[in-house]
């Protein structure tokens, strides 16, 4: 497979050659059909080795000279086949099928009537059109979503190994992580101090090193570690306490590579160079995959001209970049693109190849997002009229003056609503920055023009609060407000929403199919990160392309705003209204003394007439069997004991809705001193008289979430406090996160830090993380490149709005944006209990 030339036809007599090809095809068919069968039935192919043997003999006797070595090597792979485990069998089958196909493909003209044979592979050809990639390989690669040549070109190594100067085992040093090489001198089961073990002794340069496993599959080991083979292994070298010999215990599978004889040849891609290490799937060996990827990387020419050159500084042509990513020439040393290296100050990601590849990936996504934005605004939205009576009356009824930043937001939204383009705004502002009132102004504007408006909130508590607020602020204006909280309800459900109600507030019950609107002109989604794009779209599909306003108090780092939320125009409210002071935040442990301090804080707060939140991660302590974490009930009864006289109530998501409303109301009107709650109060709840929040086992939460919780206080004029109680088993990383939170009052920089510390997957939640899945690019490490790509995309679309001149680029861009369409809700909103819609009018 490694670069052997085509066989001149004259070398093999045509008759022999036909026999050879047809026998080889038979062999391949046998192996592939064995492979296609569920590995559990591989048993049916007992004695497979002996069945294949005559076929191999025949193939080899007719084989052209140039193929002999390869075919013998393939036959060699079946030695001991029948004794292997199923997984290993599948591995041998797929690898051998791939190699046989590679040989076959050289004889294609007469042999395979393969579809489109003869024409060179194109970018979107299936991978197995490539020489050396058989259907078996294709099916393994498919598990990694690699289907086409293009996918394969962009299937990058996750690390590299510098094998240019690998030390022989004789130079291995104890207690150091290193990579060494040696030839297998002995391999087999032995008895060690800890029972049975499998030992592979490597020798080279007069020294030796043992690889030792305590858990192993005998047959697999026997198949893999043949005496005389060259092994390259990385790991921490230790010393066997009894024998005094050097050893590596349980080297991880991706850190041991056993080379075949043919891999040792000069010019091999496996040794004496910088070697790529690819992510594997079951049944696919590193060495084989690397060979396939070598073949793939010879096709980089197909990428020629796809990405315009000169897009940005520090880039190289895409084909060169991709080739270098797969098989670095090593001029700049052994590259390390990992997060660890980056955090340690490594600049390898700035090298031209990775930079170009990251740029290209970002460019695709940015192009798709910009094109979508353009189509949407071209499709047109509602052209709302200028503000009328409702807006004015509402503004007059508002008990405070809007801050400058709020006013800016309102006027921008007003402008967008009046424009014929459809509005698509993400309003972000720190917790407590006063987004609600801005949204209500927009809602009034919709009503003024005779449209309905919907306001969707992630929890019932919040939906209720919004409804109450709206009714309070619109008293006497004749506006009907309907509240939908889900569950089964009567026919008036629909009529309510479709009929007279101008404002419909609700949980995600709003997007149920049976909810219909008559004239929905504006859809507002509060705390939108709690919903997915799909839910947002569902709500907006209920109107005739209503304008969209989504709000979030988990500020979105710029990189995510440009990718995952890239189709929204971001409007930010800066600062907090009314000269509010940042919440004083402290981190404490859980010793009895710490607890006394915490209780004193609650006491002094309630004695001053203030109120407190006490947040627990769980409802029931028992549910997770974690001794240290108490649930809301336990925490509440402890607090009642320690704080006699304090009125303590419990709130959690599994309470019936009326119960929840009752508790929230009591807390809101001051008849509860301490509200012990789960994170149901996390979002949006507004009780200005609460100035202290205690968060138990704070390290259980993400820092953005903690910041949200902390935002429940600091809403009144008094200095507010937040006490974070850390678990005793807190990790260093966890402790660091809490410190960051305590030191940073600003939600925007917290979000950036959170993204950096946890990565986009964790930050967004697993369900949304698909949207931030790049093959190589990384939102944190390559954020500078992202900005470049953003500018380039805009520039390119200016000249060619639909990318008519770059069809491949366009196709790839649309494909890259697909995960965004499929974004799922971040967190399942609690299931909804039955409730009747309540329609209140004034
Ligand atoms: P969030 O942005 O977190 O949703 P809210 O809209 O709930 O914040 O507002 C937080 C609190 O600040 C509410 O009590 C609200 O009435 C109050 N508020 C909002 N804007 C102003 C303002 N301009 N001046 C004084 N208080 C305000
Ligand atoms: Mg809010």
């Amino acid at each position: 497979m490694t670069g052997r030339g085509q066989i001149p036809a004259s070398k093999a007599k045509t008759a022999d050659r036909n026999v050879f090809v047809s026998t080889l095809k038979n062999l391949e068919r046998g192996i592939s059909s064995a492979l296609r069968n569920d590995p559990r039935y591989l048993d049916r192919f007992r004695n497979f080795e002996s069945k294949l043997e005559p076929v191999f003999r025949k193939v080899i006797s007719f084989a052209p000279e140039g193929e002999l070595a390869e075919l013998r090597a393939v036959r060699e792979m079946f030695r001991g086949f029948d004794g292997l485990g199923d997984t290993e069998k599948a591995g041998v089958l797929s690898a051998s099928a791939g190699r046989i196909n590679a040989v076959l493909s050289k004889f294609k003209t007469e042999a395979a009537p393969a579809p489109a044979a003869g024409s060179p592979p194109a970018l979107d050809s299936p991978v197995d059109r490539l020489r050396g990639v058989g259907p078996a390989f294709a099916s393994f690669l498919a598990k990694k979503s690699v289907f086409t040549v293009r996918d394969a070109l962009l299937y990058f190594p996750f690390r590299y190994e510098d094998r240019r100067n690998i030390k022989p085992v004789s130079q291995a040093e104890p207690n150091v992580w290193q990579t060494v090489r040696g030839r297998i001198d002995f391999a087999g089961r032995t008895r060690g101090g800890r029972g049975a073990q499998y030992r592979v002794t490597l020798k080279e340069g007069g020294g030796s090193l043992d690889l030792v496993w305590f858990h192993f599959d005998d047959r697999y080991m026997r198949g893999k570690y043949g005496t005389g083979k060259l092994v390259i292994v990385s790991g921490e070298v230790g010393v066997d306490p009894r024998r005094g010999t050097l050893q590596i215990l349980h080297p991880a599978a991706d850190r041991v590579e056993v080379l075949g004889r043919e891999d040792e040849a000069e010019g091999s891609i496996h040794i004496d160079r910088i070697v790529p290490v690819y992510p594997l799937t079951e049944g696919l060996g590193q060495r084989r995959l690397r060979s396939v990827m070598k073949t793939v990387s010879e096709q980089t020419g197909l990428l020629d001209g796809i990405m315009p050159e000169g897009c940005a500084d520090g880039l190289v042509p895409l084909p060169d970049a991709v080739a270098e990513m797969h098989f670095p020439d090593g001029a700049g040393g052994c590259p390390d693109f990992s997060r660890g290296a980056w955090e340690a100050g490594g600049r390898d990601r700035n090298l031209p190849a990775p930079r170009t590849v990251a740029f290209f990936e970002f460019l695709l996504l940015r192009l798709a997002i910009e094109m979508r934005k353009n189509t949407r605004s071209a499709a047109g939205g509602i052209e709302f009229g200028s503000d009328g009576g409702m807006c004015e009356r509402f503004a007059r009824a508002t008990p405070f003056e809007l801050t400058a930043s709020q006013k800016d937001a309102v006027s921008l939204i007003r402008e967008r609503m009046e424009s014929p383009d459809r509005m698509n705004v993400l309003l972000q502002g720190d917790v407590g920055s006063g987004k609600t009132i801005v949204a209500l102004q927009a809602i009034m504007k919709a009503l003024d023009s005779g449209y309905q408006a919907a306001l969707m909130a992630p929890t019932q508590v919040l939906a209720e609060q919004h409804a109450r607020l709206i009714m309070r602020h619109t008293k006497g204006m004749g506006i009907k407000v309907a509240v939908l909280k889900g569950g089964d309800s009567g026919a008036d459900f629909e009529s309510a929403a479709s009929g007279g109600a101008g404002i419909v507030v609700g949980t995600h019950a709003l997007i149920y199919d049976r909810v219909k609107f008559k004239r929905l002109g504006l859809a507002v989604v509060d705390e939108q990160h709690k919903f997915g794009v799909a839910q947002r779209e569902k709500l907006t599909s209920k109107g005739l392309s209503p304008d969209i306003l989504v709000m979030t108090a988990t500020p979105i780092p710029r990189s995510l705003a440009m990718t995952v939320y890239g189709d929204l125009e971001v409007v930010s409210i800066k600062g907090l209204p009314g000269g509010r002071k940042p919440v004083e935040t402290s981190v404490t442990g859980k010793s009895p003394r710490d607890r006394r301090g915490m209780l004193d804080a609650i006491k002094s707060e309630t004695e001053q007439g203030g109120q407190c939140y006490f947040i627990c991660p769980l409802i029931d302590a028992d549910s997770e069997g974690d001794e240290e974490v108490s649930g809301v009930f336990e925490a509440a009864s402890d607090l009642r004991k320690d704080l006699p006289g304090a009125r303590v109530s419990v709130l959690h998501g599994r309470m019936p809705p009326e119960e929840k409303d009752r508790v929230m109301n009591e807390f809101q009107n001051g008849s509860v001193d301490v509200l012990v709650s789960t994170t149901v109060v996390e979002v949006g709840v507004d009780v200005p008289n609460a100035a202290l929040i205690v968060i138990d086992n704070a390290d259980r939460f993400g820092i953005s979430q903690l910041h949200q919780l902390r935002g429940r206080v600091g809403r009144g004029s008094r200095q507010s406090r937040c006490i974070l109680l850390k678990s005793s088993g807190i990790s260093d990383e966890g402790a660091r996160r809490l410190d960051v939170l305590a030191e940073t009052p600003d939600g925007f920089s917290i979000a950036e830090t959170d993204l950096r510390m946890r990565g986009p997957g964790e930050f967004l939640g697993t369900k949304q993380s698909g949207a931030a899945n790049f093959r190589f690019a990384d939102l944190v490490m390559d954020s500078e490149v992202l900005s470049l790509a953003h500018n380039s995309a805009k520039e390119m679309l200016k000249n060619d709005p639909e990318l008519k001149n770059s069809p491949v680029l366009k196709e790839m861009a649309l494909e890259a944006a697909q995960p965004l369409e499929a974004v799922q809700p971040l967190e399942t909103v609690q299931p909804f209990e039955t409730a009747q819609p309540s329609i209140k009018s004034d």
Side-chain angles (χ1 to χ4, degrees):
M1 253 208 51
T2 49
R4 268 184 216 97
Q6 292 291 110
I7 310 299
S10 58
K11 272 236 170 133
K13 277 179 275 155
T14 319
D16 283 5
R17 185 178 149 133
N18 286 347
V19 177
F20 167 69
V21 171
S22 65
T23 319
L24 193 58
K25 276 170 72 183
N26 275 338
L27 182 61
E28 197 277 336
R29 220 171 291 137
I31 291 173
S32 295
S33 78
L35 186 68
R36 266 193 302 278
N37 277 292
D38 188 324
R40 279 172 299 177
Y41 303 121
L42 279 175
D43 215 9
R44 283 199 296 152
F45 294 87
R46 226 190 311 244
N47 302 326
F48 202 54
E49 185 182 346
S50 55
K51 277 181 199 146
L52 287 187
E53 182 50 29
V55 191
F56 268 118
R57 262 206 310 270
K58 185 170 176 189
V59 163
I60 286 171
S61 65
F62 282 92
E65 251 211 289
E67 302 306 318
L68 276 175
E70 171 73 352
L71 291 169
R72 287 202 177 107
V74 175
R75 177 166 67 177
E76 209 51 39
M77 294 170 73
F78 284 89
R79 292 273 173 262
F81 181 85
D82 294 323
L84 298 179
D86 287 348
T87 321
E88 292 74 45
K89 276 184 178 170
V92 170
L93 291 173
S94 66
S96 58
R99 290 172 74 162
I100 292 174
N101 269 307
V103 175
L104 270 176
S105 65
K106 299 182 199 169
F107 297 86
K108 232 167 203 164
T109 29
E110 276 111 38
S119 59
L123 265 189
D124 53 5
S125 303
V127 252
D128 55 8
R129 278 292 313 285
L130 292 178
R131 177 175 60 82
V133 186
F137 257 117
S139 71
F140 284 116
L141 289 170
K143 289 190 208 151
K144 290 284 184 188
S145 304
V146 173
F147 304 106
T148 63
V149 172
R150 191 178 77 201
D151 297 334
L153 281 166
L154 303 179
Y155 188 69
F156 294 117
F158 70 105
R159 65 181 174 88
Y160 301 88
E161 234 174 72
D162 193 344
R163 293 188 179 170
R164 288 171 302 187
N165 292 304
I166 301 180
K167 289 189 276 184
V169 289
S170 56
Q171 288 173 34
E173 291 169 55
N175 307 320
V176 182
W177 173 282
Q178 61 208 286
T179 302
V180 291
R181 51 177 279 167
R183 215 165 274 285
I184 300 177
D185 182 62
F186 164 83
R189 225 181 143 88
T190 58
R191 288 212 77 71
R194 292 205 251 156
Q197 47 178 241
Y198 202 89
R199 184 177 291 272
V200 171
T201 303
L202 304 179
K203 292 210 160 155
E204 186 150 332
S208 85
L209 171 85
D210 289 340
L211 309 182
V212 179
W213 289 266
F214 301 107
H215 308 284
F216 55 90
D217 177 312
D218 245 340
R219 289 173 297 189
Y220 169 76
M221 299 304 256
R222 235 181 294 135
K224 182 166 179 186
Y225 295 99
T227 316
K229 285 184 171 171
L230 184 63
V231 172
I232 293 171
V233 57
S234 313
E236 162 126 25
V237 174
V239 181
D240 182 318
R242 293 192 314 148
R243 301 150 53 119
T245 49
L246 293 182
Q247 64 181 14
I248 296 178
L249 293 181
H250 265 284
D254 75 313
R255 299 286 180 175
V256 202
E257 214 168 295
V258 183
L259 298 190
R261 294 256 177 223
E262 71 282 5
D263 301 330
E264 295 181 38
E266 210 173 315
S268 161
I269 54 170
H270 306 292
I271 48 173
D272 295 330
R273 57 167 299 139
I274 289 172
V275 168
V277 181
Y278 291 92
L280 292 177
T281 73
E282 201 182 322
L284 195 50
Q286 187 60 248
R287 207 161 44 87
R288 298 289 310 147
L289 179 56
R290 188 178 301 128
S291 303
V292 169
M293 292 311 297
K294 179 67 184 163
T295 312
V296 169
S297 70
E298 280 154 11
Q299 302 295 328
T300 47
L302 295 173
L303 296 169
D304 239 341
I306 287 181
M307 184 176 93
E309 282 180 34
C311 275
D313 286 344
L315 305 183
V316 290
L318 186 61
D320 300 355
V322 171
E324 172 72 12
M325 289 293 287
H326 287 292
F327 290 90
D329 70 5
C334 187
D336 186 345
F337 302 136
S338 68
R339 189 63 182 265
W342 182 80
E343 269 167 5
R347 311 273 22 119
D348 284 358
R349 289 190 82 93
N350 285 348
L351 292 169
R355 205 175 145 83
T356 303
V357 166
F359 177 88
F360 180 61
E361 280 196 274
F362 286 143
L363 179 72
L364 292 177
L365 192 57
R366 286 303 318 167
L367 284 170
I369 289 169
E370 290 294 324
M371 281 191 290
R372 191 161 54 185
K373 263 192 193 167
N374 293 347
T375 344
R376 192 162 37 203
S377 46
I382 300 166
E383 209 175 319
F384 292 90
S386 52
D387 295 6
M390 301 266 193
C391 287
E392 266 167 46
R393 288 178 68 185
F394 181 79
R396 253 185 281 126
T398 304
F400 44 74
E401 176 154 7
L402 298 195
T403 64
S405 192
Q406 282 172 317
K407 282 180 186 162
D408 288 348
V410 169
S411 63
L412 187 132
I413 290 167
R414 190 178 286 149
E415 212 172 279
R416 295 291 180 273
M417 287 178 76
E418 287 170 11
S419 110
D421 291 347
R422 189 171 179 185
M423 175 172 85
N424 226 321
V425 161
L426 169 72
L427 178 63
Q428 67 172 355
D430 216 335
V431 244
S433 60
K435 295 180 292 291
T436 318
I437 202 78
V438 173
L440 290 181
Q441 294 251 9
I443 288 174
M444 292 306 137
K445 188 172 179 68
L447 298 186
D448 255 339
S449 298
Y451 287 92
Q452 288 176 291
L455 170 57
M456 183 160 78
T459 63
Q460 293 188 36
V461 169
L462 197 52
E464 286 286 349
Q465 179 185 291
H466 281 323
R468 270 197 307 271
L469 180 84
I470 293 172
M471 287 178 223
R472 202 165 62 232
H473 281 255
T474 60
K475 232 185 193 99
M477 290 170 63
I479 296 169
K480 280 198 178 175
V481 181
V483 186
L484 300 183
K485 291 186 294 184
D488 297 320
S489 46
D492 56 343
F493 200 98
E494 287 132 62
S495 60
S498 63
I503 306 175
V504 184
V505 184
T507 57
H508 75 339
L510 282 183
I511 62 176
Y512 289 169
D513 286 334
R514 58 181 184 281
V515 179
K516 303 259 168 14
F517 293 88
K518 196 169 175 205
R519 248 169 97 72
L520 182 62
L522 174 70
V524 181
V525 181
D526 194 13
E527 306 297 343
Q528 74 89 38
H529 60 289
K530 295 280 170 181
F531 298 101
V533 171
Q535 284 167 310
R536 194 169 86 207
E537 308 257 284
K538 185 124 193 249
L539 177 60
T540 59
S541 72
K542 289 179 178 288
L544 295 162
S545 62
D547 279 9
I548 301 158
L549 175 64
V550 303
M551 305 195 283
T552 181
T554 297
I556 293 169
R558 194 173 140 72
S559 57
L560 290 180
M562 277 200 272
T563 51
V564 181
Y565 298 108
D567 56 337
L568 300 164
E569 178 179 8
V570 180
V571 176
S572 302
I573 299 183
K574 305 214 176 61
L576 302 178
R580 269 188 232 142
K581 298 169 208 98
V583 179
E584 222 177 82
T585 305
S586 56
V587 183
T588 71
K590 294 182 124 186
S591 69
R593 212 173 120 222
D594 290 332
R595 183 166 174 86
R596 265 198 308 280
M598 183 268 290
L599 292 169
D600 285 346
I602 296 181
K603 223 159 116 195
S604 93
E605 179 61 30
T606 52
E607 277 168 9
Q608 290 174 51
Q611 292 164 282
C612 312
Y613 295 98
F614 189 101
I615 309 295
C616 303
L618 304 172
I619 297 177
D620 289 312
D622 294 339
S623 63
E624 285 193 16
D626 188 331
E627 302 263 310
E628 203 203 332
V629 183
S630 44
V632 281
F633 297 111
E634 204 183 329
S637 79
D638 287 351
L639 287 172
R640 286 189 189 109
K641 251 183 264 149
D642 291 331
L643 299 165
R647 292 163 301 174
V648 178
S649 279
V650 168
L651 181 75
H652 63 78
R654 271 193 249 132
M655 276 160 57
E658 315 82 57
E659 188 90 344
K660 255 195 259 182
D661 286 352
R662 188 181 51 76
V663 174
M664 260 335 279
N665 275 325
E666 285 173 4
F667 190 61
Q668 223 137 18
N669 68 29
S671 50
V672 167
D673 298 316
V674 182
L675 182 67
V676 180
S677 170
T678 57
T679 55
V680 279
V681 300
E682 177 198 341
V683 288
V685 170
D686 188 28
V687 180
N689 192 42
L692 173 65
I693 184 166
V694 180
I695 304 173
D696 201 9
N697 297 102
D699 40 300
R700 288 260 184 148
F701 303 95
I703 55 175
S704 293
Q705 198 181 12
L706 287 171
H707 180 64
Q708 276 277 347
L709 285 166
R710 173 169 70 177
R712 295 310 108 221
V713 299
R715 297 177 160 249
S717 45
R718 273 176 312 137
Q719 174 65 55
S720 291
R721 290 187 59 193
C722 168
I723 300 176
L724 304 171
L725 304 178
K726 58 182 178 191
S727 320
S728 47
I730 188 172
S731 66
D732 290 351
E733 157 88 25
R736 219 157 10 110
R737 290 197 292 131
L738 295 187
D739 290 341
V740 166
L741 186 77
E743 287 155 18
T744 324
D746 168 44
F748 285 87
S749 58
I750 285 172
E752 293 282 354
T753 309
D754 200 17
L755 175 64
R756 208 173 56 238
M757 288 177 114
R758 295 193 300 161
E762 288 283 307
F763 184 90
L764 291 165
T766 42
K767 291 198 180 126
Q768 274 192 316
S769 62
N773 258 349
F774 298 97
R775 289 188 194 267
F776 176 76
D778 181 286
L779 287 172
V780 175
M781 294 189 277
D782 306 315
S783 57
E784 179 236 334
V785 178
L786 173 58
S787 303
L788 295 177
H790 172 69
N791 297 338
S792 291
K794 286 204 134 145
E795 198 56 37
M796 285 174 70
L797 292 174
K798 218 185 275 168
N799 304 323
D800 182 5
E802 287 167 52
L803 290 181
K804 286 208 168 81
N805 302 324
S806 318
V808 182
L809 191 65
K810 178 173 181 173
E811 191 191 316
M812 290 180 82
L814 295 178
E815 215 177 274
Q818 265 168 15
L820 289 185
E821 319 279 346
V823 167
Q824 292 295 307
L826 179 57
E827 199 173 279
T828 327
V829 184
Q830 282 139 3
F832 287 93
E833 297 90 340
T834 312
Q836 294 293 322
S838 50
I839 304 165
K840 298 169 191 162
S841 66
D842 188 270

